[in-house]
Amino acid sequence: DGGITQSPKYLFRKEGQNVTLSCEQNLNHDAMYWYRQDPGQGLRLIYYSQIVNDFQKGDIAEGYSVSREKKESFPLTVTSAQKNPTAFYLCASSPTGGRQPQHFGDGTRLSIL
Amino acid sequence: DAKTTQPNSMESNEEEPVHLPCNHSTISGTDYIHWYRQLPSQGPEYVIHGLTSNVNNRMASLAIAEDRKSSTLILHRATLRDAAVYYCILSGHTGTASKLTFGTGTRLQVTL
């Protein structure tokens, strides 16, 4: 089945370490997104990418970095500069054409040890 | 981005219709209205979207006011599986990407 795969489901990080969250899609979508969700809150956009080798900052990009070397993959690195990284991270993708529905993965829950 | 306002929570009995309201008085002429829902510890799931006309699909119906300042998501027969947080979102056009701004949504409880 086509879909979005996020791994791992749970991730623990020591303070001061960078950590990379994986997101892979086989839907042949051009656009991909990363969101952060805190308890009881809605999703906030971190970064998005419309095509390979291109990406833009969302509303809360500080302390995060991304790459888009392949259409299928959009990994997110949470750097040590992110002061409060504990959250639920969601990856999504959508077809081109703007305003197309986004398809979401099941998320990665990141916790600080 | 234009903002939406939704009730924090609603309750429904199983097998009854549910009407989830959303106000978006600052909507622009090119904004689409999207609805997503999210179950605990899962990613959001697309439900429906529309621009001006009412829309129907296998999951729900979307009724859009004539002045587009409000809309209502209609679940025709609620089931326990429909218990989730429902988000009403106005899409901002950003080239080929659909930029969504999520609020806190409406938590729908469905009881027997």
Side-chain angles (χ1 to χ4, degrees), chain B residues 47-63:
Chain B
V47 178
I48 200 166
H49 77 291
L51 183 62
T52 56
S53 304
N54 294 344
V55 184
N56 299 296
N57 67 20
R58 63 173 182 81
M59 291 181 70
S61 296
L62 175 60

Side-chain angles (χ1 to χ4, degrees), chain B residues 21-41:
Chain B
C22 181
N23 288 322
H24 29 79
S25 58
T26 59
I27 190 171
S28 73
T30 57
D31 281 336
Y32 275 69
I33 302 158
H34 291 249
W35 283 83
Y36 287 76
R37 69 181 186 183
Q38 186 178 24
L39 296 168
S41 298

Side-chain angles (χ1 to χ4, degrees), chain A residues 3-4 25 27 29 31-33 91-95 100-104:
Chain A
I4 296 182
Q25 56 103 355
L27 298 167
H29 288 168
M32 295 188 75
Y33 313 80
C91 178
S93 70
S94 70
Q100 294 291 329
Q102 293 185 16
H103 300 252
F104 284 82

Side-chain angles (χ1 to χ4, degrees), chain A residues 37-86:
Chain A
Q37 186 174 33
D38 293 289
Q41 302 299 312
L43 283 66
R44 293 184 289 169
L45 183 64
I46 305 172
Y47 269 98
Y48 64 100
S49 168
Q50 300 182 69
I51 56 172
V52 174
N53 292 323
D54 180 70
F55 48 83
Q56 285 81 41
K57 292 181 179 180
D59 300 319
I60 55 164
E62 186 175 347
Y64 300 98
S65 66
V66 293
S67 62
R68 186 88 186 276
E69 296 175 3
K70 296 187 301 181
K71 186 176 184 177
E72 302 79 22
S73 178
F74 191 40
L76 173 74
T77 296
V78 184
T79 75
S80 57
Q82 172 49 240
K83 296 305 176 190
N84 185 20
T86 296

